[in-house]
């Protein structure tokens, strides 16, 4: 798994004994690969009265990146070789509670705003990277037989994330695609005041998130919600960096015309990539479709980093097999 032994043992203990069912017929192939184009969307019931809604995304080629006066990220062509599914919404507290168990609504230690004040059951769950993996591990254990061969529940790659944000297009037009997905400064102030805080108090941490319930904003053209609304989204990619502000580590690490690009970095200098759009970037930032940031991997809960589940090819195993000799 690439994880430390004690972490693996802890997860096995948490899951407890598993009864294996001998017949694949007991696991219907809920996710079926389309012969061409977009396949059908899927609703997966993961617990009583708890579902995950998945949107089908076709394979394709698009131009990744954005270029303006404030950007050093050059545009480059990327191919998504195989179709995949992405959850329509981030995982909420209600879904976490139903599938894993009750979790604290408080935000991380770096912010005085408590999530139990600003968040609710239907808002995205602020999770650590390891908590995200815990959710995915359990999905694979319980429902992995429903997936196409060599497909798993996982995080999106960075390239897949931007592909979905742009609805498969090479250029992102905020006025036509997801302009209304971004929450304005006026709306943020109103949300903070409705929770009993003053605007001045909130402005001490203007990048923090007065969360909105999932689906309260308009979806993009593929029907995916909240890709740019409340915060950042964990992705598969990790890079070697000196700090979260290491700009050089955020530059593309693959060549132009790459297919299913992915980078995994292990060790103490490893930082995870997150994509999406934090609250510090409103509608004035037209390059927000490519924004990315670095976070420390592990058990630290990041206030505005969420889990969005993807069903796709096992890119991590493929990457490790390809780079084993290296």
């Amino acid at each position: 798994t690439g994880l430390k032994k004690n972490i693996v043992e802890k997860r096995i203990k948490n899951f407890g004994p598993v009864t294996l069912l001998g017949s694949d017929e007991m696991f219907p192939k809920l996710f079926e690969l389309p012969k061409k184009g977009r396949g059908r969307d899927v609703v997966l019931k993961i617990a009583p009265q708890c579902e995950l809604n998945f949107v089908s995304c076709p394979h394709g080629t698009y131009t990744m990146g954005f270029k303006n006066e404030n950007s050093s990220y050059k545009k480059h062509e990327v191919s998504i070789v195989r179709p995949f599914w992405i959850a329509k919404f981030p995982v909420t507290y209600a879904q976490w509670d139903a599938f894993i168990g009750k979790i604290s609504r408080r935000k991380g230690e770096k912010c005085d705003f408590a999530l139990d004040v600003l968040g609710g059951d239907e808002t995205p769950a602020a999770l650590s990277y390891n908590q995200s993996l815990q959710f995915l591990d359990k999905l694979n254990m319980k429902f992995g037989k429903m997936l196409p061969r060599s497909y798993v529940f996982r995080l999106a790659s960075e390239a897949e994330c931007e592909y979905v944000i742009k609805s498969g297009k090479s250029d992102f037009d905020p006025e036509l695609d997801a302009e209304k997905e971004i929450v304005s400064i006026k709306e943020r102030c109103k949300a903070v005041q409705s929770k009993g805080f003053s605007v001045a108090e909130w402005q001490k941490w203007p990048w923090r998130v007065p969360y909105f319930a999932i689906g309260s904003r308009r979806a993009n053209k593929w029907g995916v919600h909240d890709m740019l609304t409340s915060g950042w989204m964990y992705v598969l990619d990790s890079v070697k960096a000196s700090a979260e502000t290491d700009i050089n580590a955020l530059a593309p690490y693959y060549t132009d015309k790459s297919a299913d690009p992915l980078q995994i970095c292990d060790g103490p200098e490893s930082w995870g990539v997150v994509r999406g759009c934090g609250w510090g970037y409103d509608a004035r930032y037209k390059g927000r479709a490519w924004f990315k940031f670095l976070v420390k991997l592990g058990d630290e809960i990041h206030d505005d980093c969420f889990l969005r589940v993807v069903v796709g090819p096992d890119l991590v195993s493929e990457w490790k097999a390809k780079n084993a000799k290296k």
Side-chain angles (χ1 to χ4, degrees), residues 67-87:
K67 185 70 176 176
N68 65 10
E69 65 274 10
N70 298 318
S71 169
S72 60
Y73 305 110
K74 295 181 179 179
K75 289 186 175 183
H76 46 285
E77 188 175 280
V78 166
S79 293
I80 305 300
V81 178
R82 290 154 290 185
F84 62 97
W85 289 264
I86 190 167

Side-chain angles (χ1 to χ4, degrees), residues 26-32 40-56 85-89 91 95-96 98-99 135-148 151-154 309-312:
M26 302 190 73
F27 295 93
K29 296 297 183 182
L30 187 61
F31 294 82
E32 297 181 358
R40 65 183 181 88
D41 295 346
V42 176
V43 177
L44 175 64
K45 187 173 183 178
I46 62 173
Q49 299 180 334
C50 180
E51 298 174 341
L52 290 179
N53 293 269
F54 290 92
V55 173
S56 177
W85 289 264
I86 190 167
K88 186 178 291 187
F89 312 105
V91 170
Q95 290 170 330
W96 178 278
F99 192 55
F135 195 94
L136 295 168
D137 285 348
K138 191 169 182 179
L139 283 175
N140 279 307
M141 181 173 291
K142 292 193 67 174
F143 306 108
K145 291 284 188 178
M146 295 183 177
L147 307 183
Y151 273 56
V152 294
F153 292 98
R154 58 169 171 81
V309 181
V310 161
V311 171

Side-chain angles (χ1 to χ4, degrees), residues 119-132:
D121 285 351
E122 296 305 319
T123 56
L127 303 171
S128 70
Y129 185 78
N130 283 349
Q131 284 175 322
S132 297

Side-chain angles (χ1 to χ4, degrees), residues 286-311:
K286 292 191 175 182
R288 60 187 179 276
W290 54 259
F291 281 169
K292 53 184 174 178
F293 199 64
L294 296 177
V295 296
K296 203 63 179 174
L297 304 178
D299 293 319
E300 180 181 349
I301 296 177
H302 301 284
D303 301 334
D304 49 3
C305 291
F306 310 129
L307 165 64
R308 190 184 292 265
V309 181
V310 161
V311 171

Side-chain angles (χ1 to χ4, degrees), residues 45-284:
K45 187 173 183 178
I46 62 173
Q49 299 180 334
C50 180
E51 298 174 341
L52 290 179
N53 293 269
F54 290 92
V55 173
S56 177
C57 305
H59 64 81
T61 298
Y62 78 108
T63 301
M64 192 173 179
F66 187 89
K67 185 70 176 176
N68 65 10
E69 65 274 10
N70 298 318
S71 169
S72 60
Y73 305 110
K74 295 181 179 179
K75 289 186 175 183
H76 46 285
E77 188 175 280
V78 166
S79 293
I80 305 300
V81 178
R82 290 154 290 185
F84 62 97
W85 289 264
I86 190 167
K88 186 178 291 187
F89 312 105
V91 170
T92 66
Y93 281 100
Q95 290 170 330
W96 178 278
D97 291 348
F99 192 55
I100 302 294
K102 192 71 174 178
I103 187 176
S104 171
R105 271 27 177 197
R106 284 199 62 82
K107 299 182 77 171
E109 296 177 355
K110 296 182 180 180
C111 181
D112 287 351
F113 273 35
L115 196 55
D116 54 2
V117 174
L118 292 181
D121 285 351
E122 296 305 319
T123 56
L127 303 171
S128 70
Y129 185 78
N130 283 349
Q131 284 175 322
S132 297
L133 296 185
Q134 179 186 356
F135 195 94
L136 295 168
D137 285 348
K138 191 169 182 179
L139 283 175
N140 279 307
M141 181 173 291
K142 292 193 67 174
F143 306 108
K145 291 284 188 178
M146 295 183 177
L147 307 183
R149 184 180 296 275
S150 301
Y151 273 56
V152 294
F153 292 98
R154 58 169 171 81
L155 301 173
S157 69
E158 184 190 352
E160 288 170 340
C161 182
E162 186 169 325
Y163 185 60
V164 174
I165 289 174
K166 294 180 174 180
S167 299
K169 297 168 58 179
S170 290
D171 292 313
F172 179 78
D173 188 340
E175 295 182 359
L176 298 178
D177 194 6
E179 176 71 14
K180 293 183 179 179
E181 188 178 346
I182 303 301
V183 183
S184 69
I185 293 290
K186 183 178 180 180
E187 286 179 281
R188 302 177 201 183
C189 294
K190 186 177 180 180
V192 169
Q193 289 173 319
S194 70
K195 300 298 182 181
F197 290 97
S198 69
V199 172
E201 193 173 12
W202 167 66
Q203 285 176 337
K204 296 176 183 178
W205 305 277
W207 56 90
R208 300 304 179 189
V209 185
Y211 296 160
F212 282 75
I214 59 168
S216 59
R217 316 300 296 178
R218 191 182 70 172
N220 70 6
K221 292 182 178 179
W222 278 357
V224 183
H225 288 261
D226 307 319
M227 292 293 287
L228 297 171
T229 304
S230 292
W232 305 96
M233 167 180 159
Y234 286 116
V235 297
L236 279 176
D237 305 73
S238 56
V239 296
K240 183 178 180 180
S242 57
E244 62 184 351
T245 55
D246 189 342
I247 302 299
N248 293 327
L250 292 175
Y253 41 77
Y254 40 82
T255 60
D256 193 22
K257 302 185 185 303
S258 289
D260 288 339
L262 179 68
Q263 173 67 40
I264 298 176
C265 177
D266 294 321
E269 295 181 315
S270 176
W271 290 76
V273 178
V274 291
R275 294 297 306 261
C277 195
W279 271 74
Y281 308 101
D282 60 20
R284 294 169 297 177

